[in-house]
Amino acid sequence: MKDVAARAGVGLKTVSRVVNGEAGVTPDTERRVQEAIDSLGFRRNDSARVLRKGRTASIGLVLEDLADPFYGPLNRAIEEVARAHGALLINGSSAEDPEREQELVLALCARRVDGLIVIPAGDDHRYLEPEIKAGIATVFVDRPAGQIDADAVLSDSFGGARAGVAHLIAHGHRRVGFIGDHPRIHTAIERLRGYRTAMEDAGLAVDDSWVSLGPTAPERVRSAVESMLAAPEPVTAIFAGNNRVTVTAVRVLAEHKRPVALVSFDDIELADLLGITVIAQDAATLGHTAAERLFRRLDGVDDEPAQVTLKTVLIPRGSGEIPPSADR
C-alpha cells in the first residue's frame, strides 16, 4: 500500500478507501490510485483484513455431487447471491457420504467461513452445534438437518410425488411402480410417502415388488425396472424418484416392447424433446432462497430457525399420459 500511495501521490488512508470501496475520494484521485494498483499488481491482503474485521467474506457450500445436473443451477444461484453480498463461495461434494460431509463442513469451519449452506448426506448434525454457537450461520437446503434446529429450504417432495402418482392413476393405471434413492435420504422417504398416499387415496393396494429403494447407479435401477416389468402382474407405469433414476428408466423402457407410462420427479435435460412428464422443482430458487436466508443471518437477524417449503409443478409432456396396454 505504501508503494501504491507513493506512486499515486496520496496518503495510505486514501489507498485504503479506494481498495475498500469507501466514500470520500474524488474521481480523479480514485483513478490515479487505481492506475497505480494496476501498474504495481497490488492485491489486498485478505488475511490481515480478516484479523481486523473478524469476517472472511466467504461462505461454504457442501452438496452431494456438483456433477449432478440438479445442483448446477442451485450452486449458481447461491454463487450469485454471495457475489451480490461481496462474498466468495467455496464448495465441495460429499458423495452422499455422511462422514465426508462432516469432514468437509468442519474443514470449511476451520478456514473461518462466515456461513454454511449444507445439502446433508447424514441424519445427525449435532457435530455442528459448537460451530453454530460460535457464530457460523448455517442453512440446510433440499433436506432438513438431523437432530438440531436449523433453517432449511426444501421442495415439497411429498406433495410432488403424490401429484405425480395421482396423475398416473387418473390415466387408468392401477399397478404403479416406484423407484427411489437410498431409504436413509429424507427426499426419498418423502417421495415414497407421497406415492403410497396417492395409491391409498385411490383405494389401491401396493405390492412390495412395486417399490424399490437404493443406490441410483444405472445397474441397480435397470434391475429394478426390468424386475417390475417381468413380474406375473407387471406394472403399467413407473414413478421415478429423481433425475438419475429417470435417465436409466428411459433407456430401459425404450428397449421394452409395450409402452409403459413414466413420470419423473425432477426435470432432466431434453425431457421436453423426449416427451417426459415431470414433477419439476426449481433448483435455482432453492439455492437463491437458502443463500438469502443465510445472509439475513449474517446481517444479524436472530429469529427462530424456520423451514421453507417450495412448491413443485407437474408438467405433462406425454410419457405420463400413456394409458395401460389393453393386454395388461
Side-chain angles (χ1 to χ4, degrees):
M1 287 181 68
K2 288 179 181 178
D3 292 339
V4 171
R7 190 179 189 95
V10 299
L12 282 173
K13 182 61 178 176
T14 300
V15 176
S16 177
R17 283 175 175 161
V18 172
V19 168
N20 291 297
E22 297 173 3
V25 182
T26 67
D28 181 63
T29 300
E30 182 178 358
R31 178 187 55 76
R32 295 204 323 272
V33 171
Q34 193 59 57
E35 286 176 353
I37 287 171
D38 294 341
S39 177
L40 294 170
F42 171 80
R43 295 291 181 272
R44 183 176 61 195
N45 186 334
D46 280 337
S47 296
R49 188 166 176 260
V50 167
L51 290 173
R52 185 173 72 255
K53 294 192 173 185
R55 293 273 291 267
T56 62
S58 63
I59 63 170
L61 169 62
V62 176
L63 40 70
E64 179 192 347
D65 183 0
L66 193 54
D68 186 326
F70 173 74
Y71 294 117
L74 184 146
N75 181 86
R76 178 63 181 270
I78 293 171
E79 188 172 21
E80 288 301 315
V81 174
R83 185 169 180 268
H85 285 83
L88 177 70
L89 177 66
I90 306 169
N91 58 38
S93 300
S94 69
E96 206 63 79
D97 180 346
E99 290 186 6
R100 184 166 172 177
E101 172 212 301
Q102 181 173 341
E103 178 185 311
L104 278 168
V105 167
L106 294 180
L108 288 165
C109 291
R111 283 159 178 76
R112 299 186 65 185
V113 294
D114 298 323
L116 290 166
I117 295 176
V118 181
I119 297 170
D123 56 8
D124 185 351
H125 294 93
R126 287 174 293 181
Y127 71 86
L128 254 173
E129 286 180 331
E131 310 300 335
I132 294 173
K133 287 178 181 176
I136 294 183
T138 305
V139 175
F140 288 78
V141 67
D142 192 43
R143 309 162 189 170
Q147 302 191 47
I148 65 170
D149 290 326
D151 289 319
V153 181
L154 317 174
S155 288
D156 184 7
S157 286
F158 168 75
R162 185 180 186 179
V165 175
H167 185 74
L168 290 167
I169 294 170
H171 283 80
H173 297 279
R174 299 296 177 263
R175 299 195 298 274
V176 181
F178 175 90
I179 304 176
D181 211 328
H182 287 280
R184 62 178 169 78
I185 296 174
H186 172 80
T187 48
I189 294 303
E190 284 297 286
R191 291 168 196 174
L192 175 60
R193 189 167 70 88
Y195 160 81
R196 289 191 180 279
T197 299
M199 296 291 279
E200 183 181 337
D201 290 344
L204 300 174
V206 175
D207 191 288
D208 288 344
S209 66
W210 299 351
V211 176
S212 178
L213 297 178
T216 56
E219 55 272 17
R220 200 282 299 184
V221 176
R222 172 175 283 276
S223 175
V225 174
E226 290 176 344
S227 176
M228 290 181 188
L229 297 180
E233 288 193 304
V235 299
T236 62
I238 290 174
F239 185 82
N242 66 25
N243 56 354
R244 285 164 295 182
V245 171
T246 301
V247 170
T248 300
V250 167
R251 290 192 172 117
V252 177
L253 295 180
E255 302 165 3
H256 197 62
K257 294 180 180 178
R258 297 186 186 92
V260 176
L262 174 70
V263 172
S264 166
F265 197 109
D266 279 344
D267 214 343
I268 63 171
E269 190 174 3
L270 301 182
D272 54 339
L273 296 178
L274 294 171
I276 300 171
T277 297
V278 302
I279 301 295
Q281 54 179 334
D282 191 336
T285 299
L286 274 173
H288 186 273
T289 305
E292 288 290 3
R293 192 160 193 86
L294 182 73
F295 280 100
R296 283 180 68 244
R297 291 291 185 195
L298 292 174
D299 288 340
V301 175
D302 195 28
D303 50 12
E304 289 297 312
Q307 180 170 297
V308 177
T309 302
L310 305 179
K311 292 181 179 180
T312 57
V313 178
L314 170 65
I315 305 176
R317 294 183 177 132
S319 71
E321 296 70 55
I322 297 171
S325 296
D327 58 348
R328 293 288 181 93

